[in-house]
Amino acid sequence: IDEAATHVTATDCVTSGDIESARGRQSKRIGLYDEALAHYSRAIECYGMFETHYRNAARSHRNIADVHRELYKRDRNPSHRDEGLQHLERAEAIYNLDARHHRHGIGTVHNSRALLLYYGARPGALEESKKAYDLGRIGPPNRDIVLMTNAMIVQALVLSAETEDEEGGDITAARAAAEEAVALAETT
């Protein structure tokens, strides 16, 4: 990544944003969350110099939300959950500008929101993952099997937790969601 960065001109905002985003993913992968947040924020700034609502900025907002989810899981600070939800709203707004071409992005936002709500012990996680599944199912031209699989994994997680917490969860539904996730994954 550093080698690629040396060949980027100062006016190539998209490539600069992509490099910052890649650096953010690397930092997140090794648990350097503050560094990841800084890279993703710089990526959004770079993309903004190219186009205010550039689709890669939506991905960076979603990545920021995912980092905040990890931080929330670690320290249970509600500000991480809330900030993550705000970034997901921004990502969804960008994707919705051309929703027909960004079903996968919108669906991934729903799955990320479902996980934030799940770890934040807030209602709505199951509904969000169902929205992601429906977006994957509707096409055109083809179903988005990866999106559907991820949605079923989230549904299985949420339904299983409801069963463990004795919140009226249905272990049969959790098992069915997990089995569907495996069946979908096997088709890829």
Side-chain angles (χ1 to χ4, degrees), residues 19 80 108 129 133 162 165 167:
I19 288 170
H80 290 303
T108 303
S129 64
Y133 181 86
E162 286 176 356
D165 295 341
E167 295 178 13

Side-chain angles (χ1 to χ4, degrees), residues 59 81 96 99 103 117 119 122 128 134 141 153 173 175:
R59 184 187 64 210
R81 179 198 59 221
N96 276 328
R103 280 183 311 110
L117 293 171
Y119 289 113
R122 293 181 60 185
E128 287 293 326
D134 289 343
I153 291 168
R175 183 175 293 118

Side-chain angles (χ1 to χ4, degrees), residues 15-148:
T15 303
S16 295
D18 290 346
I19 288 170
E20 287 297 334
S21 182
R23 286 177 172 154
R25 288 189 300 277
Q26 282 184 331
S27 297
K28 179 185 168 211
R29 201 171 297 124
I30 60 175
L32 299 174
Y33 297 129
D34 290 335
E35 191 175 300
L37 290 171
H39 285 300
Y40 291 137
S41 294
R42 282 195 294 274
I44 291 168
E45 288 175 26
C46 291
Y47 296 137
M49 288 185 250
F50 171 70
E51 182 180 307
T52 308
H53 295 34
Y54 187 58
R55 69 178 182 276
N56 289 12
R59 184 187 64 210
S60 292
H61 280 294
R62 193 185 74 235
N63 287 337
I64 287 173
D66 291 345
V67 170
H68 280 291
R69 181 183 70 233
E70 294 302 319
L71 290 168
Y72 180 77
K73 285 167 46 180
R74 184 180 68 191
D75 65 19
R76 295 294 185 212
N77 182 337
S79 68
H80 290 303
R81 179 198 59 221
D82 296 342
E83 191 160 340
L85 291 170
Q86 290 171 7
H87 279 279
L88 289 173
E89 287 177 21
R90 292 179 194 134
E92 188 173 18
I94 293 169
Y95 284 135
N96 276 328
L97 292 172
D98 191 8
R100 194 168 41 101
H101 292 104
H102 297 298
R103 280 183 311 110
H104 183 85
I106 295 168
T108 303
V109 166
H110 285 297
N111 272 335
S112 291
R113 187 177 293 125
L115 288 170
L116 255 172
L117 293 171
Y118 166 75
Y119 289 113
R122 293 181 60 185
L126 192 59
E127 292 76 13
E128 287 293 326
S129 64
K130 286 179 179 179
K131 289 177 185 177
Y133 181 86
D134 289 343
L135 281 168
R137 188 172 50 88
I138 60 174
N142 302 312
R143 296 184 320 157
D144 187 335
I145 300 298
V146 171
L147 182 57
M148 293 169 64

